Amino acid sequence: MSRIGTKPIKIPKGVAVTLEGNTITVKGPKGTLKRALHPDMKVEIEGDELRVKRPTDERLHRALHGLTRTLISNMITGVTEGYEKALEMSGVGYRASKTGDKVVLNLGFAKPCEIVPPSGIQIEVPTPTSLVIRGIDKELVGQVAANIRKLRPPEPYQGTGIKYVGEKIRRKVAKSAK
């Protein structure tokens, strides 16, 4: 039995959840999210709780049970609280600046990297060496943060690059000459 899939999801006040076939729509104070769910999973709304049921005990249905419940829970959290990822840059000359809706990153390349955030994502630059990515879709926030980190991943010898705040980089010892 799935421990996550069997838990009910509380629907907070101010959040409207609607089901149309296998599409779920969640509206809240921060926005609206819509997702198509697997056709085998059954979602039931009972008062202010939402439950996900699976038809059989097959391996695929067991896997989808917990996944579906987590995706719906993340949607509800996104429209009420939102998500954010923080990145920090370390390196000589590595800095970020915001011009209009674009973010310009100087990462030691010949030309600066310009990033235009997709709709529903806000990128803030609190200091020249840090970025904060905010949005209501957890998947999209994480993907934008991963795409920015991929421009200059942290390297293990000097520790320069873009990393998540709180991420530990395993440092390697440089080769020593005789």
Side-chain angles (χ1 to χ4, degrees):
M1 204 61 182
S2 172
R3 291 186 200 151
I4 294 173
T6 55
K7 289 182 183 176
I9 303 169
K10 292 286 278 181
I11 302 172
K13 299 232 186 265
V15 175
V17 179
T18 56
L19 287 165
E20 296 153 9
N22 64 339
T23 304
I24 187 165
T25 306
V26 180
K27 290 182 185 174
K30 291 200 176 233
T32 303
L33 290 174
K34 192 175 199 174
R35 179 179 285 273
L37 302 174
H38 195 276
D40 290 348
M41 293 293 110
K42 302 293 177 235
V43 180
E44 299 172 354
I45 300 173
E46 302 164 356
D48 66 338
E49 284 188 344
L50 198 130
R51 290 189 184 275
V52 178
K53 306 240 171 142
R54 65 177 183 227
T56 65
D57 219 20
E58 290 179 22
R59 185 180 182 132
L60 173 69
H61 292 153
R62 287 194 318 250
L64 287 171
H65 192 204
L67 173 72
T68 305
R69 191 246 179 230
T70 303
L71 289 174
I72 295 170
S73 176
N74 288 343
M75 290 170 70
I76 290 172
T77 305
V79 298
T80 54
E81 301 165 19
Y83 290 100
E84 76 174 39
K85 285 265 189 188
L87 298 169
E88 60 187 5
M89 297 181 279
S90 60
V92 176
Y94 287 17
R95 63 183 184 278
S97 61
K98 188 164 181 163
T99 55
D101 62 339
K102 298 191 283 193
V103 176
V104 179
L105 300 174
N106 293 328
L107 300 172
F109 298 123
K111 293 183 179 180
C113 301
E114 290 185 356
I115 296 169
V116 179
S119 63
I121 297 292
Q122 298 87 32
I123 300 177
E124 296 176 9
V125 184
T127 64
T129 59
S130 65
L131 296 167
V132 178
I133 299 137
R134 288 193 173 94
I136 61 172
D137 189 355
K138 184 176 187 177
E139 203 174 323
L140 189 58
V141 169
Q143 189 61 53
V144 169
N147 290 343
I148 292 173
R149 184 182 182 274
K150 191 167 61 171
L151 293 172
R152 202 51 115 159
E155 63 99 17
Y157 293 102
Q158 296 168 344
T160 60
I162 302 173
K163 65 175 188 153
Y164 298 112
V165 171
E167 180 183 10
K168 300 282 186 209
I169 304 300
R170 281 187 60 204
R171 301 292 297 270
K172 292 182 178 178
V173 179
K175 189 190 240 184
S176 60
K178 286 189 176 184

